[in-house]
Amino acid sequence: MMKNSAYHNPGKNEAETDPGAEGRQDHSGDRNDPVQETGSVLTGDGNHQITCLTIIGQIEGHYILSSQNKTTKYEHVIPLLVAIEEDPKTDGLLVLLNTVGGDVEAGLALAELLAGMKKPTVSLVLGGGHSIGVPLAVAAKHSFIVPSATMTIHPVRMNGLMLGVPQTLEYFQRMQDRITRFVSHNSKISPQRFLELAMNTEELVMDVGTVLDGPAAVREGLIDTLGSLSDALACLYDMIDEKRKKEKKGKKAATRKKQAQNN
C-alpha cells in the first residue's frame, strides 16, 4: 500500500523490536490510524490508487460539539483534501456520506474545496445526506446514492440567541442563496425547484422542507446516479483512466510541437 506522509501515518517497523523480522513491516497501523484520526484510508485495485474519505454525523464548525455526538471536524478534512489533491500517488477520491448536516459555513467550505479539485472525485450517499450534506454530495464530479438513502432539503436555520431585526432575516436569505447557487451549479436541479423543495410545507409535520429517497433524488436531478459502492468505484476508475488518456495525449502533442519548433 502506498503512503503519503502528508496525511498517512506509517506503521511501526517490526525490525525495531524483532531482530528476526528484518525486511518485514507491520501495515496494520497504516490502515487503522488514518481511519481513526481523519476517517480516511488509502486503497486501490493495483492499477488505481484512491483515497476513501468518510463524512459522518454532524459537520463540526467553529464550536466543539458534545463528545456524545458523531462529528466530522472540518479542520481535519480541509488539509486532507489539499494533501490528496497534491499527492502524485493518489489518482482519485471517493467520498462516503452519512451525515445529518451541521455547520453551514464549514460544510460549504468543504464542498467548495471538493468541487475545486482537479483529480477525479465521486461521492456516495449512504443512510442520509441531509441539510448541508446536500452541497457536499453534489460537489463531487459524479454523485451516487443508494436506493435506501434519503436527503432532507430545508431552509437555513439557526440555534441560540438571535436578534429579531430585519437584518437577521436578510442574513438568512443571503446564506440560503449561497447554498442554492452552489447546489444548482453542481447538479442538474434548477434554483427554482431546489427552493420549492426547501420551502415545502406539506410534507414534514414539525418542519419545512422535503425528504427525498434515492430514486427521487436522481429524478429531481440532485444526484447523478442511483447505485452502490461497486458502481461508485467503477465510475471513479473510469474517470481516472480517462484522465490518464487525456494527459498522455497532451504530452504527445507537446512533444510534437517541441520537435516541430526545433526543426
Side-chain angles (χ1 to χ4, degrees):
M1 183 176 67
M2 296 184 182
K3 306 170 189 170
N4 182 344
S5 59
Y7 64 96
H8 194 79
N9 296 330
K12 185 177 181 181
N13 194 330
E14 290 182 5
E16 296 177 1
T17 55
D18 183 3
E22 185 176 358
R24 292 189 286 114
Q25 192 172 5
D26 181 9
H27 292 279
S28 60
D30 293 352
R31 294 187 179 276
N32 293 332
D33 289 351
V35 173
Q36 293 176 359
E37 294 176 7
T38 62
S40 67
V41 64
L42 190 64
T43 185
D45 64 352
N47 190 37
H48 309 87
Q49 196 76 7
I50 66 170
T51 295
C52 175
L53 171 65
T54 57
I55 296 179
I56 62 170
Q58 286 185 262
I59 310 300
E60 188 177 83
H62 303 300
Y63 298 97
I64 298 175
L65 298 174
S66 168
S67 59
Q68 296 179 344
N69 293 348
K70 289 283 187 181
T71 62
T72 296
K73 299 180 182 296
Y74 84 115
E75 70 268 25
H76 291 175
V77 180
I78 285 177
L80 179 61
L81 291 176
V82 176
I84 293 170
E85 178 73 353
E86 291 298 303
D87 180 19
K89 297 178 182 178
T90 303
D91 299 313
L93 172 65
L94 174 66
V95 181
L96 303 180
L97 292 118
N98 187 6
T99 176
V100 295
D103 189 281
V104 172
E105 291 196 341
L108 276 179
L110 297 180
E112 288 284 7
L113 273 181
L114 182 58
M117 295 179 69
K118 290 183 178 180
K119 287 191 176 179
T121 55
V122 170
S123 65
L124 174 62
V125 180
L126 303 161
H130 307 298
S131 190
I132 201 61
V134 175
L136 284 166
V138 304
K141 290 179 174 58
H142 197 95
S143 57
F144 284 84
I145 186 171
V146 297
S148 62
T150 58
M151 305 183 77
T152 303
I153 303 172
H154 61 69
V156 173
R157 69 278 309 274
M158 183 180 296
N159 296 324
L161 179 65
M162 292 176 288
L163 294 177
V165 294
Q167 290 87 338
T168 300
L169 300 178
E170 183 182 353
Y171 172 74
F172 277 23
Q173 184 59 53
R174 285 190 293 176
M175 186 172 286
Q176 183 64 53
D177 291 343
R178 290 163 60 190
I179 296 173
T180 303
R181 283 196 303 268
F182 182 88
V183 172
S184 61
H185 180 73
N186 289 277
S187 69
K188 299 181 182 69
I189 195 169
S190 67
Q192 295 77 14
R193 180 54 179 163
F194 184 78
L195 281 176
E196 286 178 8
L197 295 174
M199 300 301 177
N200 182 18
T201 60
E202 299 179 356
E203 181 168 334
L204 302 178
V205 176
M206 301 295 290
D207 202 350
V208 176
T210 304
V211 179
L212 300 175
D213 61 11
V218 175
R219 286 196 304 270
E220 293 286 353
L222 195 61
I223 299 296
D224 295 319
T225 308
L226 192 68
S228 61
L229 176 60
S230 59
D231 301 310
L233 285 173
C235 177
L236 183 57
Y237 292 159
D238 288 343
M239 291 168 66
I240 292 171
D241 292 338
E242 185 64 26
K243 183 173 183 288
R244 287 173 177 172
K245 288 180 182 178
K246 290 182 179 179
E247 290 176 348
K248 191 175 181 180
K249 288 181 180 178
K251 288 180 180 179
K252 287 183 178 179
T255 301
R256 288 195 296 268
K257 183 178 180 180
K258 188 176 181 180
Q259 289 175 347
Q261 291 175 347
N262 292 337
N263 293 334

